[in-house]
Amino acid sequence: MNEMTELERFRSDVPELDLTDVRAEERRLLSVMRDTAPEHGRSRPVLGRTRRGWIGLAAGLAAAAATAGVIAVGTGEEPGTPPVVHTMPVASVQLLKQAADHAAKSPELHPRPGQFLVFESRTMDTVESNSGGRHERYLDRQERKIWLPVDGDATRGVLWARTLEPKPYPGWPVPAVARQGVGRSSMSKAADFDRRAEHLRSDYAYLSRLPADPAKMYQHLYIGLGTGPQADATAWQNVGGMLTEAYMPRAQRAALFRAAAAIHGVTTVGRAVDAAGRTGIAVTLDPLDGGIREEYIFDDKTYEFLGRRSVVTKAEKAEAPVGSVLTNSAQLKVSIADRPPAVN
């Protein structure tokens, strides 16, 4: 009996399962993991289940998952900690799959150690202040150019910024303080400290070492997270952190888009305008209870990442009308420099 025949026989023994069945198998596997987890350095036996039986269950889950069109991946925070099992659905967001296809064929930069990646962008952010005993809100707009080291933390980076004409926060007048710096520019350190966890790093040296396999990239997005809507929301934020003022090789970029397309709740929301006025198509994750959704915008022809924005979905939560854009960015250019400008 050849290997293909053996594989077909094995698959025929596995019943056709839908996603509900797969999640039930996932819960059963997790229960077994908990029962066999080390306790005070010793293994706790499971009555009626041998190691061979555990492997059989794991193999059955993997085969059932493949039948249902999902991939099971596990993550663990520390050695000896039972893994958290995630079920990675087949990527279903067409826009992100097209972005992955485009990324896999697009030209790419090849920065060297010691160099800097230069990101040029426009941004809009919500500012709240208390001036003269009054609470004020407005939307601050800037042009930015930031030099970030290829192989280091952001404290070695340099930021140039120029203040643009502010916009009103919905329902609030623009205060005089918001216009005081319009037209002025400044040069400063990019950051005073950089205490991000290792798996949240966004420098090129780190991102270029990430897996080019979508399932492993999906696993990376969920490091340290559990399961459920909050974990999905944090994984979605992690995607944004790897796209904004960050650059990775095309293989990792393609894997990131395919992994993002598989996050539960991600969907296409239609036309969106970035901070530079460019129109594209946005994808988002259904928000939890904050009343604001985070969108990532892509060009509808080239599928290049354009920027990100936050949009109000619940007026009472955000204290702004539904559909209001409270933050917005546009990534305009990425280039390489040997060194950043000096900071006085």
Side-chain angles (χ1 to χ4, degrees), residues 17 116 164 239 241 249 258 282:
L17 299 177
F116 288 74
L164 304 175
V239 172
R258 293 191 189 282

Side-chain angles (χ1 to χ4, degrees), residues 289-341:
D289 298 321
I292 298 174
R293 70 175 180 234
E294 187 76 12
E295 299 180 352
Y296 305 143
I297 308 170
F298 293 81
D299 186 280
D300 60 358
K301 296 182 177 62
T302 67
Y303 304 106
E304 290 279 358
F305 173 70
L306 298 181
R308 58 193 291 183
R309 68 179 193 170
S310 58
V311 180
V312 175
T313 58
K314 293 182 180 179
E316 66 280 7
K317 290 280 188 178
E319 298 182 8
V322 171
S324 300
V325 178
L326 301 185
T327 68
N328 203 346
S329 71
Q331 186 161 283
L332 303 175
K333 183 180 179 181
V334 183
S335 58
I336 300 172
D338 288 331
R339 63 185 61 86

Side-chain angles (χ1 to χ4, degrees), residues 26 30 33 71-88 199 211 214-227 231 235 238:
E26 176 186 315
L30 279 170
M33 287 178 173
I71 302 171
V73 297
T75 65
E77 295 183 33
E78 299 177 0
T81 301
V84 177
V85 176
H86 293 275
T87 302
M88 177 182 172
H199 68 277
K216 292 180 179 178
M217 183 66 80
Y218 183 89
Q219 179 179 2
H220 174 78
L221 293 175
Y222 281 87
I223 288 177
L225 305 179
T227 58
N238 290 343

Side-chain angles (χ1 to χ4, degrees), residues 124-192:
M124 183 180 77
D125 295 289
T126 297
V127 174
E128 297 199 24
S129 66
N130 289 293
S131 177
R134 293 187 305 171
H135 186 66
E136 297 170 325
R137 288 178 174 173
Y138 62 96
L139 301 178
D140 178 72
R141 298 171 61 242
Q142 292 188 349
E143 286 184 350
R144 287 167 57 95
K145 190 171 183 178
I146 189 168
W147 290 257
L148 292 173
V150 166
D151 52 356
D153 64 56
T155 61
R156 293 171 49 216
V158 172
L159 171 65
W160 173 89
R162 183 167 71 92
T163 302
L164 304 175
E165 184 69 24
K167 288 187 175 181
Y169 189 96
W172 293 67
V174 176
V177 67
R179 292 193 168 92
Q180 288 179 358
V182 172
R184 298 177 188 171
S185 61
S186 63
M187 192 84 72
S188 62
K189 288 180 60 176
D192 291 324

